[in-house]
Amino acid sequence: MQHENFQRAVLGWFDQYGRTHLPWQKERTPYRVWISEIMLQQTQVGTVIPYFERFLARFPDVESLAESSFDEVIALWAGLGYYARARNLHRAARIIVERHRGQLPTSLEELSALPGIGRSTAGAILSLGSGIRAPILDGNVKRVLCRHRGIEGWPGNPRILEKLWELSEALTPSIRVADYNQAMMDLGATVCTKRNPGCSTCPVGRDCEAFRSGRIDAIPATKPRRTLPVKRCFMLALTNGHGAFYLEKRQNVGVWGGLWSLPEFDCEEDVYAWCGKQHIDCSNLERLPQRRHTFSHYHLDFVPLVVRTGSDHCQIGEPSLGSWLIPNETIGLPAPILKLLTEIAD
DNA sequence: AATGCGGGGGG
DNA sequence: CCCCCAGCATT
């Protein structure tokens, strides 16, 4: 009964204030919901929208995605981050075509077995895409539930997490499950925000424990953080004077996996040695100011070293994982590298 | 259970 | 500068 009141309040709020015109809500299919959910992992709605539009224009269905090359997928993904998502998406598309006749599975077990789809994403695909009752637990839902029930402690704590899953499962209705799950995310994104939440307009603010006890700013607790380590390197920006740079394809694992980037070196001497080996004259080497790029787990401090060869056909010896390419948005460059090369080219 | 994985936006 | 955001895979 308590749960039904909660559901009724949330759904009533959704009817008036919920988001209903997001791109993946238009022509709602499991495929479109799937793509959007993967892109939305740890990524804000406003960032995702242009990527989603481009991606769907190129890959309107699972078959077109499965038939594509990974290079084309990663190029459309460049700038979104968490590139393993693109790899998993591509792998999953091929599995869906080969093992599921091109249809997304309709059970939590089968969905979760696909690369890149965990418990929450599987629940979202089922509920939003097919109206099947399944709970979700993303950052928004965690925040709403933690506050409403006055749950202290960091939501990433496995003990807390399990409690939240139980709660989400118990609260999820069997009718209007798509609207309900969407409403919970919208509520977290637009009312129950991290800072300055709009408790006065919240449909469940009257019986929110955090609001009642004045703990809104303290719940949910923040992740315990250590100071980020700093990694340093030199990046060689070798350019031929005609807008092209010598770029290397990175391995499909680790940071910037599968993207093109500049050759990296631990020290400047290694750069000279490398150039000497390739018979490249680096006497005009120009050292740009150090830049910092911050990942979620470390700072990368790198010094760009610019060498202009003035030669179109400078041969780079093996192992030849490199190519001379003109940097642009379509080839799959990390955002900070694209920014750097654009500045150098100017 | 802890760690790795990005980039954009806001304070 | 700091923090967070529609999480998942790997170890």
Side-chain angles (χ1 to χ4, degrees):
Chain A
M1 189 56 198
Q2 208 59 268
H3 291 174
E4 289 167 25
N5 287 337
F6 185 88
Q7 295 159 358
R8 193 156 35 242
V10 167
L11 284 167
W13 175 85
F14 179 78
D15 289 336
Q16 207 169 351
Y17 304 108
R19 294 180 289 192
T20 54
H21 298 291
L22 297 170
W24 42 90
Q25 293 177 315
K26 289 171 192 170
E27 193 194 346
R28 200 180 294 186
T29 65
Y31 174 74
R32 290 168 63 89
V33 170
W34 171 43
I35 304 297
S36 71
E37 287 301 322
I38 300 299
M39 288 187 169
L40 286 161
Q41 288 169 5
Q42 301 295 98
T43 311
Q44 292 171 350
V45 169
T47 303
V48 163
I49 288 175
Y51 284 87
F52 179 83
E53 304 275 28
R54 279 203 302 275
F55 200 92
L56 265 291
R58 173 61 187 85
F59 305 119
D61 49 46
V62 67
E63 286 81 9
S64 56
L65 180 55
E67 290 165 3
S68 71
S69 70
F70 174 65
D71 282 356
E72 199 176 354
V73 176
I74 195 69
L76 278 180
W77 204 274
L80 249 193
Y82 285 123
Y83 299 99
R85 294 185 296 177
R87 275 201 306 283
N88 289 332
L89 195 65
H90 191 231
R91 285 173 52 206
R94 294 190 165 174
I95 294 173
I96 292 166
V97 166
E98 288 167 13
R99 300 217 277 264
H100 301 283
R101 301 177 180 179
Q103 303 293 314
L104 269 86
T106 52
S107 74
L108 280 178
E109 293 69 26
E110 288 176 300
L111 277 174
S112 302
L114 293 170
I117 300 181
R119 192 170 172 181
S120 189
T121 299
I125 294 171
L126 287 185
S127 59
L128 304 182
S130 303
I132 297 171
R133 180 179 182 278
I136 60 171
L137 191 62
D138 64 6
N140 288 314
V141 178
K142 285 176 188 169
R143 191 167 51 254
V144 172
L145 294 183
C146 279
R147 280 177 173 161
H148 190 256
R149 304 294 276 251
I151 297 172
E152 307 274 352
W154 174 52
N157 178 313
R159 188 80 189 82
I160 308 283
L161 200 54
E162 192 42 45
K163 189 172 177 180
L164 289 170
W165 269 114
E166 280 180 30
L167 192 51
S168 178
E169 154 69 26
L171 287 169
T172 303
S174 47
I175 58 165
R176 292 194 68 187
V177 65
D179 287 348
Y180 173 83
N181 279 348
Q182 185 65 50
M184 288 294 283
M185 292 190 283
D186 290 353
L187 197 54
T190 65
V191 174
C192 193
T193 50
K194 181 70 185 165
R195 279 175 302 274
N196 305 321
C199 301
S200 59
T201 65
C202 178
V204 293
R206 297 287 90 54
D207 50 5
C208 174
E209 176 58 24
F211 180 64
R212 189 199 64 74
S213 59
R215 300 279 294 154
I216 282 292
D217 289 337
I219 299 178
T222 57
K223 175 189 176 77
R225 266 177 221 295
R226 60 189 178 111
T227 58
L228 294 184
V230 178
K231 297 188 183 185
R232 301 170 190 285
C233 76
F234 294 86
M235 291 196 189
L236 174 60
L238 185 58
T239 177
N240 67 358
H242 295 86
F245 287 83
Y246 178 73
L247 300 175
E248 289 179 348
K249 185 87 156 166
R250 298 176 63 93
Q251 295 299 113
N252 271 342
V253 294
V255 168
W256 296 338
L259 295 180
W260 291 92
S261 191
L262 298 173
E264 294 180 9
F265 301 89
D266 292 336
C267 60
E268 239 175 297
E269 288 67 36
D270 288 356
V271 178
Y272 291 119
W274 187 87
C275 287
K277 208 163 144 189
Q278 317 297 338
H279 307 294
I280 293 165
D281 173 20
C282 58
S283 57
N284 65 350
L285 182 146
E286 181 188 358
R287 187 186 305 107
L288 298 185
Q290 173 177 296
R291 294 167 177 241
R292 166 167 289 192
H293 179 72
T294 301
F295 297 97
S296 46
H297 49 307
Y298 66 88
H299 299 291
L300 177 63
D301 286 349
F302 63 98
V303 177
L305 303 174
V306 183
V307 171
R308 303 174 192 275
T309 65
S311 162
D312 258 333
H313 37 72
C314 180
Q315 294 298 319
I316 306 293
E318 67 274 87
S320 167
L321 26 77
S323 293
W324 291 92
L325 295 171
I326 310 241
N328 62 55
E329 293 76 9
T330 68
I331 62 175
L333 284 166
I337 303 302
L338 176 60
K339 183 168 182 290
L340 168 68
L341 298 185
T342 303
E343 289 176 24
I344 293 175
D346 285 343

